[in-house]
Protein backbone atom coordinates (compact mmCIF):
# COMPACT_ATOMS: atom_id res chain seq x y z
CA UNK A 1 0.00 0.00 0.00
CA UNK A 2 1.39 3.42 -0.86
CA UNK A 3 2.32 5.99 1.78
CA UNK A 4 -0.54 8.19 0.55
CA UNK A 5 -3.09 5.45 1.20
CA UNK A 6 -2.83 4.11 4.73
CA UNK A 7 -6.54 4.05 5.61
CA UNK A 8 -7.57 1.02 3.51
CA UNK A 9 -9.01 3.26 0.83
CA UNK A 10 -9.00 2.10 -2.79
CA UNK A 11 -5.96 3.19 -4.76
CA UNK A 12 -6.69 6.05 -7.15
CA UNK A 13 -6.75 5.07 -10.79
CA UNK A 14 -3.68 5.82 -12.88
CA UNK A 15 -3.75 8.04 -15.95
CA UNK A 16 -5.14 5.77 -18.67
CA UNK A 17 -6.22 5.95 -22.30
CA UNK A 18 -10.02 6.41 -22.47
CA UNK A 19 -11.97 3.57 -24.04
CA UNK A 20 -13.35 6.03 -26.61
CA UNK A 21 -9.80 6.50 -28.02
CA UNK A 22 -9.54 2.80 -28.91
CA UNK A 23 -10.56 1.75 -32.42
CA UNK A 24 -12.26 -1.60 -31.82
CA UNK A 25 -11.56 -2.69 -35.41
CA UNK A 26 -7.79 -2.52 -34.86
CA UNK A 27 -7.66 -4.44 -31.56
CA UNK A 28 -5.71 -7.70 -31.51
CA UNK A 29 -6.57 -10.02 -28.61
CA UNK A 30 -3.91 -12.28 -27.15
CA UNK A 31 -4.56 -16.00 -27.43
CA UNK A 32 -2.79 -16.29 -24.07
CA UNK A 33 -2.11 -13.27 -21.84
CA UNK A 34 1.49 -12.06 -22.14
CA UNK A 35 3.44 -11.18 -18.97
CA UNK A 36 4.52 -7.53 -18.96
CA UNK A 37 5.87 -4.71 -16.82
CA UNK A 38 3.64 -1.64 -16.99
CA UNK A 39 4.65 1.88 -15.90
CA UNK A 40 1.63 3.66 -14.42
CA UNK A 41 1.54 7.44 -13.99
CA UNK A 42 -0.73 9.35 -11.60
CA UNK A 43 -2.06 12.90 -11.54
CA UNK A 44 -2.26 13.20 -7.73
CA UNK A 45 1.44 13.88 -7.11
CA UNK A 46 2.54 10.27 -6.64
CA UNK A 47 5.63 9.02 -8.41
CA UNK A 48 5.05 6.70 -11.37
CA UNK A 49 5.13 3.02 -10.42
CA UNK A 50 6.05 -0.10 -12.34
CA UNK A 51 3.83 -3.13 -11.75
CA UNK A 52 3.67 -6.70 -12.98
CA UNK A 53 0.75 -7.29 -15.28
CA UNK A 54 -0.52 -9.11 -18.32
CA UNK A 55 -1.19 -7.79 -21.82
CA UNK A 56 -4.65 -8.91 -22.91
CA UNK A 57 -5.01 -6.98 -26.18
CA UNK A 58 -3.30 -4.24 -28.18
CA UNK A 59 -3.49 -1.86 -31.10
CA UNK A 60 -0.63 -0.12 -32.87
CA UNK A 61 -0.43 2.51 -30.10
CA UNK A 62 -2.15 1.10 -26.99
CA UNK A 63 -2.11 -2.02 -24.81
CA UNK A 64 -4.89 -3.39 -22.58
CA UNK A 65 -3.14 -4.50 -19.40
CA UNK A 66 -4.44 -6.33 -16.35
CA UNK A 67 -2.80 -5.60 -12.98
CA UNK A 68 -3.57 -6.37 -9.35
CA UNK A 69 -5.10 -3.23 -7.87
CA UNK A 70 -5.70 -2.38 -4.23
CA UNK A 71 -9.39 -2.01 -3.44
CA UNK A 72 -10.76 -1.13 0.01
CA UNK A 73 -9.48 -4.22 1.86
CA UNK A 74 -8.39 -6.59 -0.90
CA UNK A 75 -6.61 -6.69 -4.25
CA UNK A 76 -8.50 -7.32 -7.46
CA UNK A 77 -7.57 -7.57 -11.11
CA UNK A 78 -8.21 -4.31 -12.98
CA UNK A 79 -7.86 -3.65 -16.69
CA UNK A 80 -6.53 -0.40 -18.16
CA UNK A 81 -5.70 0.78 -21.67
CA UNK A 82 -2.26 2.44 -21.60
CA UNK A 83 0.20 3.77 -24.18
CA UNK A 84 2.34 1.03 -25.72
CA UNK A 85 5.47 2.92 -24.61
CA UNK A 86 4.49 2.21 -20.97
CA UNK A 87 4.71 -1.57 -21.45
CA UNK A 88 7.69 -3.95 -21.59
CA UNK A 89 7.64 -7.73 -21.88
CA UNK A 90 8.75 -9.69 -18.82
CA UNK A 91 9.90 -13.26 -18.44
CA UNK A 92 8.27 -15.70 -16.05
CA UNK A 93 10.81 -18.34 -15.10
CA UNK A 94 9.56 -21.92 -14.74
CA UNK A 95 9.06 -23.01 -11.14
CA UNK A 96 10.63 -26.36 -10.39
CA UNK A 97 9.37 -27.01 -6.90
CA UNK A 98 11.25 -29.87 -5.29
CA UNK A 99 13.30 -30.61 -8.42
CA UNK A 100 16.90 -29.90 -9.25
CA UNK A 101 17.51 -28.02 -12.47
Amino acid sequence: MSALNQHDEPERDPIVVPQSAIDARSVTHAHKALPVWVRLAFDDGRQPQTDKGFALAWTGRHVLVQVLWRMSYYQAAREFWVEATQVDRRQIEPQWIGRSA
Side-chain angles (χ1 to χ4, degrees), residues 61-73:
R61 295 180 43 214
H62 305 103
V63 180
L64 178 63
V65 295
Q66 182 183 66
V67 296
L68 281 180
W69 204 250
R70 178 111 178 125
M71 305 305 266
S72 295
Y73 55 90

PDB file of all heavy atoms in Angstrom, residues 61-73:
ATOM      1  N   ARG A  61      -0.902   1.491 -31.042  1.00  0.00           N
ATOM      2  CA  ARG A  61      -0.435   2.515 -30.099  1.00  0.00           C
ATOM      3  C   ARG A  61      -0.760   2.233 -28.646  1.00  0.00           C
ATOM      4  O   ARG A  61      -0.206   2.875 -27.765  1.00  0.00           O
ATOM      5  CB  ARG A  61      -1.066   3.854 -30.476  1.00  0.00           C
ATOM      6  CG  ARG A  61      -0.617   4.366 -31.817  1.00  0.00           C
ATOM      7  CD  ARG A  61      -1.253   5.690 -32.193  1.00  0.00           C
ATOM      8  NE  ARG A  61      -1.277   6.612 -31.080  1.00  0.00           N
ATOM      9  CZ  ARG A  61      -2.247   7.499 -30.875  1.00  0.00           C
ATOM     10  NH1 ARG A  61      -3.255   7.569 -31.691  1.00  0.00           N
ATOM     11  NH2 ARG A  61      -2.196   8.320 -29.851  1.00  0.00           N
ATOM     12  N   HIS A  62      -1.676   1.308 -28.357  1.00  0.00           N
ATOM     13  CA  HIS A  62      -2.151   1.099 -26.993  1.00  0.00           C
ATOM     14  C   HIS A  62      -2.162  -0.382 -26.627  1.00  0.00           C
ATOM     15  O   HIS A  62      -2.247  -1.232 -27.502  1.00  0.00           O
ATOM     16  CB  HIS A  62      -3.567   1.658 -26.831  1.00  0.00           C
ATOM     17  CG  HIS A  62      -3.666   3.090 -27.222  1.00  0.00           C
ATOM     18  ND1 HIS A  62      -4.217   3.489 -28.423  1.00  0.00           N
ATOM     19  CD2 HIS A  62      -3.281   4.216 -26.590  1.00  0.00           C
ATOM     20  CE1 HIS A  62      -4.167   4.798 -28.501  1.00  0.00           C
ATOM     21  NE2 HIS A  62      -3.590   5.269 -27.403  1.00  0.00           N
ATOM     22  N   VAL A  63      -2.091  -0.643 -25.312  1.00  0.00           N
ATOM     23  CA  VAL A  63      -2.112  -2.017 -24.805  1.00  0.00           C
ATOM     24  C   VAL A  63      -3.130  -2.087 -23.665  1.00  0.00           C
ATOM     25  O   VAL A  63      -3.165  -1.216 -22.797  1.00  0.00           O
ATOM     26  CB  VAL A  63      -0.726  -2.455 -24.275  1.00  0.00           C
ATOM     27  CG1 VAL A  63      -0.762  -3.874 -23.743  1.00  0.00           C
ATOM     28  CG2 VAL A  63       0.333  -2.310 -25.360  1.00  0.00           C
ATOM     29  N   LEU A  64      -3.973  -3.120 -23.690  1.00  0.00           N
ATOM     30  CA  LEU A  64      -4.893  -3.387 -22.584  1.00  0.00           C
ATOM     31  C   LEU A  64      -4.160  -4.282 -21.599  1.00  0.00           C
ATOM     32  O   LEU A  64      -3.803  -5.416 -21.918  1.00  0.00           O
ATOM     33  CB  LEU A  64      -6.165  -4.079 -23.076  1.00  0.00           C
ATOM     34  CG  LEU A  64      -7.180  -4.450 -22.005  1.00  0.00           C
ATOM     35  CD1 LEU A  64      -7.715  -3.216 -21.293  1.00  0.00           C
ATOM     36  CD2 LEU A  64      -8.320  -5.255 -22.613  1.00  0.00           C
ATOM     37  N   VAL A  65      -3.870  -3.741 -20.409  1.00  0.00           N
ATOM     38  CA  VAL A  65      -3.140  -4.498 -19.402  1.00  0.00           C
ATOM     39  C   VAL A  65      -4.051  -4.825 -18.227  1.00  0.00           C
ATOM     40  O   VAL A  65      -5.000  -4.100 -17.935  1.00  0.00           O
ATOM     41  CB  VAL A  65      -1.889  -3.739 -18.894  1.00  0.00           C
ATOM     42  CG1 VAL A  65      -0.871  -3.561 -19.995  1.00  0.00           C
ATOM     43  CG2 VAL A  65      -2.261  -2.410 -18.276  1.00  0.00           C
ATOM     44  N   GLN A  66      -3.745  -5.931 -17.571  1.00  0.00           N
ATOM     45  CA  GLN A  66      -4.443  -6.326 -16.348  1.00  0.00           C
ATOM     46  C   GLN A  66      -3.400  -6.354 -15.233  1.00  0.00           C
ATOM     47  O   GLN A  66      -2.344  -6.963 -15.381  1.00  0.00           O
ATOM     48  CB  GLN A  66      -5.063  -7.708 -16.517  1.00  0.00           C
ATOM     49  CG  GLN A  66      -5.838  -8.178 -15.308  1.00  0.00           C
ATOM     50  CD  GLN A  66      -6.354  -9.580 -15.503  1.00  0.00           C
ATOM     51  OE1 GLN A  66      -5.569 -10.519 -15.588  1.00  0.00           O
ATOM     52  NE2 GLN A  66      -7.658  -9.719 -15.601  1.00  0.00           N
ATOM     53  N   VAL A  67      -3.695  -5.652 -14.134  1.00  0.00           N
ATOM     54  CA  VAL A  67      -2.798  -5.605 -12.981  1.00  0.00           C
ATOM     55  C   VAL A  67      -3.608  -5.853 -11.712  1.00  0.00           C
ATOM     56  O   VAL A  67      -4.821  -5.663 -11.696  1.00  0.00           O
ATOM     57  CB  VAL A  67      -2.063  -4.247 -12.872  1.00  0.00           C
ATOM     58  CG1 VAL A  67      -1.146  -4.020 -14.054  1.00  0.00           C
ATOM     59  CG2 VAL A  67      -3.036  -3.106 -12.735  1.00  0.00           C
ATOM     60  N   LEU A  68      -2.915  -6.277 -10.653  1.00  0.00           N
ATOM     61  CA  LEU A  68      -3.574  -6.370  -9.353  1.00  0.00           C
ATOM     62  C   LEU A  68      -3.681  -4.967  -8.785  1.00  0.00           C
ATOM     63  O   LEU A  68      -2.695  -4.225  -8.751  1.00  0.00           O
ATOM     64  CB  LEU A  68      -2.784  -7.260  -8.398  1.00  0.00           C
ATOM     65  CG  LEU A  68      -2.949  -8.752  -8.602  1.00  0.00           C
ATOM     66  CD1 LEU A  68      -2.105  -9.511  -7.596  1.00  0.00           C
ATOM     67  CD2 LEU A  68      -4.401  -9.166  -8.477  1.00  0.00           C
ATOM     68  N   TRP A  69      -4.857  -4.592  -8.330  1.00  0.00           N
ATOM     69  CA  TRP A  69      -5.098  -3.232  -7.869  1.00  0.00           C
ATOM     70  C   TRP A  69      -5.721  -3.262  -6.492  1.00  0.00           C
ATOM     71  O   TRP A  69      -6.631  -4.037  -6.228  1.00  0.00           O
ATOM     72  CB  TRP A  69      -6.034  -2.524  -8.857  1.00  0.00           C
ATOM     73  CG  TRP A  69      -5.907  -1.062  -8.810  1.00  0.00           C
ATOM     74  CD1 TRP A  69      -6.823  -0.167  -8.338  1.00  0.00           C
ATOM     75  CD2 TRP A  69      -4.791  -0.294  -9.232  1.00  0.00           C
ATOM     76  NE1 TRP A  69      -6.348   1.100  -8.456  1.00  0.00           N
ATOM     77  CE2 TRP A  69      -5.094   1.056  -8.998  1.00  0.00           C
ATOM     78  CE3 TRP A  69      -3.556  -0.608  -9.775  1.00  0.00           C
ATOM     79  CZ2 TRP A  69      -4.210   2.080  -9.294  1.00  0.00           C
ATOM     80  CZ3 TRP A  69      -2.686   0.404 -10.079  1.00  0.00           C
ATOM     81  CH2 TRP A  69      -3.017   1.726  -9.839  1.00  0.00           C
ATOM     82  N   ARG A  70      -5.221  -2.417  -5.613  1.00  0.00           N
ATOM     83  CA  ARG A  70      -5.699  -2.377  -4.227  1.00  0.00           C
ATOM     84  C   ARG A  70      -7.087  -1.745  -4.180  1.00  0.00           C
ATOM     85  O   ARG A  70      -7.282  -0.613  -4.580  1.00  0.00           O
ATOM     86  CB  ARG A  70      -4.733  -1.570  -3.371  1.00  0.00           C
ATOM     87  CG  ARG A  70      -5.190  -1.446  -1.948  1.00  0.00           C
ATOM     88  CD  ARG A  70      -4.289  -2.232  -1.053  1.00  0.00           C
ATOM     89  NE  ARG A  70      -4.721  -2.051   0.316  1.00  0.00           N
ATOM     90  CZ  ARG A  70      -5.020  -3.057   1.101  1.00  0.00           C
ATOM     91  NH1 ARG A  70      -4.890  -4.287   0.668  1.00  0.00           N
ATOM     92  NH2 ARG A  70      -5.410  -2.847   2.320  1.00  0.00           N
ATOM     93  N   MET A  71      -8.041  -2.513  -3.679  1.00  0.00           N
ATOM     94  CA  MET A  71      -9.388  -2.006  -3.442  1.00  0.00           C
ATOM     95  C   MET A  71      -9.473  -1.689  -1.948  1.00  0.00           C
ATOM     96  O   MET A  71      -8.466  -1.601  -1.281  1.00  0.00           O
ATOM     97  CB  MET A  71     -10.417  -3.041  -3.875  1.00  0.00           C
ATOM     98  CG  MET A  71     -10.249  -3.498  -5.326  1.00  0.00           C
ATOM     99  SD  MET A  71     -10.240  -2.173  -6.519  1.00  0.00           S
ATOM    100  CE  MET A  71     -11.927  -2.154  -6.987  1.00  0.00           C
ATOM    101  N   SER A  72     -10.623  -1.534  -1.389  1.00  0.00           N
ATOM    102  CA  SER A  72     -10.757  -1.131   0.014  1.00  0.00           C
ATOM    103  C   SER A  72      -9.967  -2.025   0.961  1.00  0.00           C
ATOM    104  O   SER A  72      -9.173  -1.555   1.746  1.00  0.00           O
ATOM    105  CB  SER A  72     -12.217  -1.129   0.432  1.00  0.00           C
ATOM    106  OG  SER A  72     -12.908  -0.137  -0.287  1.00  0.00           O
ATOM    107  N   TYR A  73     -10.158  -3.315   0.915  1.00  0.00           N
ATOM    108  CA  TYR A  73      -9.485  -4.216   1.855  1.00  0.00           C
ATOM    109  C   TYR A  73      -8.968  -5.475   1.150  1.00  0.00           C
ATOM    110  O   TYR A  73      -8.674  -6.467   1.783  1.00  0.00           O
ATOM    111  CB  TYR A  73     -10.419  -4.598   3.004  1.00  0.00           C
ATOM    112  CG  TYR A  73     -11.729  -5.192   2.542  1.00  0.00           C
ATOM    113  CD1 TYR A  73     -11.864  -6.554   2.359  1.00  0.00           C
ATOM    114  CD2 TYR A  73     -12.816  -4.379   2.271  1.00  0.00           C
ATOM    115  CE1 TYR A  73     -13.049  -7.102   1.918  1.00  0.00           C
ATOM    116  CE2 TYR A  73     -14.013  -4.914   1.846  1.00  0.00           C
ATOM    117  CZ  TYR A  73     -14.120  -6.271   1.665  1.00  0.00           C
ATOM    118  OH  TYR A  73     -15.303  -6.794   1.213  1.00  0.00           O
TER     119      TYR A  73
END
